[in-house]
Amino acid sequence: MSLVLVIATLAFRGLGALGVRRFATWRVSAAHGLALFLVVTASAHFAPEGSGFTTTHADLVAMVPPIVPFPAFMVYATGVLEVLGAAGLILGRTRRMAGLWLAVMFVLLLPANVYAALAGQDVTPLWQRVPEQALYIAVALWAALGTRTERHQEMIAG
């Protein structure tokens, strides 16, 4: 799934290199790449069984640790939050808040991935999932915070 993030980020940055000012920096391109990734992953939160999705709502419900109440609702809620986070990353004025919130959400969702892997469910193995989750956290934080130089360049670019 991280391929979606990487390819989208490269595509957006390529558009920036071709003169699309919105994607003039790697940070903004990565924010948009993460947003696209989140829309793709959020779609699984609403996908019914037999829909053709590789991961469905039922699969995600099975990943929720027993300590979490209302697992089906939580899966829907996190899907909605992912879409809202994606929208927040697209808008410059909400990018900082969205990126910070998404980083927190990625940290909070990691235990569900660990639980599913340890419970023997057919999920991404932990040796792959933990570094992926770290990548998502890092990109969300980079989108939110960036460097002073990057923020200045974005203000100049419009």
Side-chain angles (χ1 to χ4, degrees):
M1 194 52 79
S2 56
L3 274 178
V4 172
L5 169 61
V6 171
I7 291 170
T9 298
L10 291 172
F12 288 127
R13 188 59 192 105
L15 289 172
L18 292 173
V20 178
R21 288 179 46 177
R22 179 170 192 87
F23 307 115
T25 67
W26 279 102
R27 184 170 76 94
V28 172
S29 298
H32 282 72
L34 184 58
L36 182 62
F37 163 80
L38 286 166
V39 169
V40 170
T41 60
S43 63
H45 291 242
F46 306 99
E49 289 188 68
S51 63
F53 279 74
T54 56
T55 303
T56 65
H57 176 79
D59 297 326
L60 294 172
V61 169
M63 291 177 63
V64 178
I67 194 168
V68 176
F70 312 109
F73 171 78
M74 291 299 188
V75 169
Y76 286 129
T78 55
V80 169
L81 292 172
E82 286 181 9
V83 170
L84 291 173
L89 288 172
I90 298 300
L91 303 172
R93 65 179 169 256
T94 58
R95 186 172 299 130
R96 181 178 175 91
M97 179 181 62
L100 291 172
W101 182 87
L102 286 166
V104 170
M105 186 183 82
F106 290 139
V107 169
L108 293 175
L109 291 177
L110 185 56
N113 292 296
V114 171
Y115 168 78
L118 295 178
Q121 295 178 16
D122 185 23
V123 296
T124 306
L126 285 179
W127 64 265
Q128 181 181 346
R129 171 54 78 178
V130 173
E132 280 181 346
Q133 206 77 2
L135 172 66
Y136 307 148
I137 293 165
V139 172
L141 289 173
W142 184 34
L145 304 173
T147 66
R148 184 177 300 183
T149 303
E150 289 170 329
R151 290 191 305 267
H152 181 71
Q153 287 173 344
E154 288 171 21
M155 287 183 357
I156 293 170

